[in-house]
Amino acid sequence: MKIYDSVKKEEVEISGTEDLIRLMEEGGRQVDLYLKEKKSDEDGYLSWDVEHWSSIDKKRFIRCYSLEGRTLSESTGHNIYDLKNDFKPEEAEKIELS
């Protein structure tokens, strides 16, 4: 999987989702998932087209949201086990590491 590293300003080859999680945990990096289509929560309260994932520590993660270039004030907390259901880089048209 190819991703763009905005710090080093180059494309990087990684083997998959586990590598992205490791980069967040160990490298303190943020992973930005630019989605192929807009998503909404089940209540229709929140809509977004970019997910910004980062690690608080080795077992806790935070996801912030953007919609049409504007960062939203909402965020959600996740544990390492939540990532199996909620962290889906395969749904992104572009992945950026910052």
Side-chain angles (χ1 to χ4, degrees):
M1 169 186 312
K2 287 192 182 218
I3 62 172
Y4 181 73
D5 188 329
S6 64
V7 174
K8 296 179 181 177
K9 302 203 182 317
E10 64 185 14
E11 277 201 357
V12 180
E13 183 73 34
I14 61 166
S15 62
T17 302
E18 294 300 319
D19 278 353
L20 286 173
I21 294 170
R22 187 177 43 74
L23 285 167
M24 284 190 285
E25 290 174 336
E26 297 171 4
R29 305 294 297 272
Q30 176 176 299
V31 175
D32 301 321
L33 303 178
Y34 293 83
L35 304 175
K36 295 175 186 168
E37 56 188 41
K38 185 167 61 169
K39 283 187 171 183
S40 293
D41 66 351
E42 59 271 356
D43 299 325
Y45 170 74
L46 179 65
S47 296
W48 66 94
D49 56 8
V50 181
E51 297 178 353
H52 309 280
W53 288 87
S54 54
S55 175
I56 297 169
D57 59 34
K58 291 228 181 242
K59 295 183 180 178
R60 296 182 303 154
F61 298 82
I62 188 168
R63 173 173 53 173
C64 299
Y65 305 91
S66 292
L67 178 63
E68 298 170 353
R70 187 175 55 97
T71 302
L72 305 176
S73 61
E74 289 81 0
S75 64
T76 52
H78 303 267
N79 65 39
I80 189 71
Y81 306 106
D82 291 335
L83 293 187
K84 302 242 187 277
N85 295 322
D86 298 325
F87 183 63
K88 299 179 179 177
E90 65 276 1
E91 292 181 1
E93 68 180 348
K94 180 174 93 169
I95 302 172
E96 201 168 281
L97 189 61
S98 54

